[in-house]
Amino acid sequence: MLKIGITGGIGSGKTTVSKVFEVLGVPVFYADDHAKRVMVEDDILIAAIKQEFGSEAYFADGSLNRKYIANIVFNDADRLEKLNAIVHPATFRAFDAWVAQVGHVPYILKEAALLFEACSYKLCDKAIMVYAPLEVRINRVMRRDSISREEVLARNAKQMTDDEKIKLADYTIVNDDTELVIPQVLALHQQFLQMAAAL
Ligand code: ATP
């Protein structure tokens, strides 16, 4: 089974594009959703987060106090790195468990905002970068999340630049509201099927 990573800047459309692959029958692991899930389900991870951030990191009902953690890590790169170092191994474990139950398919996608930053692309056979210009991404996210331009830019500043991501990616899908996305997905799908058949 081939493992293909898919990423892109905030609002680039990586989730939207991944859903097109899903329509073609490709199983997709949404890493950010799984990261949120393991933070409330994985006992080892929960204990590590409490040790690092204090028991206030969780509410009495076991749900995560996201605001509390976000306030700590947003302007402190060291604490953010620590949080990632705790969460990423648990997400990798969740990915391995997910892969084990997928069954026999030619390939799967791993959709992750921080595919390159977290180095998880190194565990993938190939990586796709979904690209849209910054202005397009800002407008999409402002509309989707009802947040200000400044908030989108602050989130964007936490990620690698597009140029850095394009260099690390094997393929780029342009999702800039002018190029058609489905033909680009179909072409890659055919390539991945051929690659998987040759394994
Ligand atoms: P994030 O990193 O913030 O999770 P993302 O890269 O996963 O974002 P999406 O959530 O897929 O991006 O897309 C951002 C917004 O732009 C969504 O509201 C989505 O519906 C819209 N969008 C994405 N691609 C297109 C497109 N080709 N045409 C129209 N709307 C689009």
Side-chain angles (χ1 to χ4, degrees), residues 9-16 111 140 144 175 177:
I10 174 169
S12 58
K14 54 194 168 296
T15 305
T16 307
E111 192 254 48
R140 282 181 186 160
R144 185 194 62 191
N175 180 33
D177 298 338

Side-chain angles (χ1 to χ4, degrees), residues 9-14 134-149 151-153 155-156:
I10 174 169
S12 58
K14 54 194 168 296
L134 182 60
E135 271 311 310
V136 173
R137 298 196 281 115
I138 291 170
N139 287 326
R140 282 181 186 160
V141 178
M142 284 172 66
R143 211 174 315 133
R144 185 194 62 191
D145 297 348
S146 304
I147 58 174
S148 69
R149 182 183 176 84
E151 284 173 290
V152 182
L153 286 171
R155 282 194 209 169
N156 188 61

Side-chain angles (χ1 to χ4, degrees), residues 19 22 40 43 49 54 84 106 117 128 138 142 159 161 186:
K19 292 205 182 300
E22 265 188 310
V40 292
D43 291 335
I49 290 174
N84 284 335
E117 290 88 340
I128 304 169
I138 291 170
M142 284 172 66
Q159 301 189 348
T161 65
L186 289 175

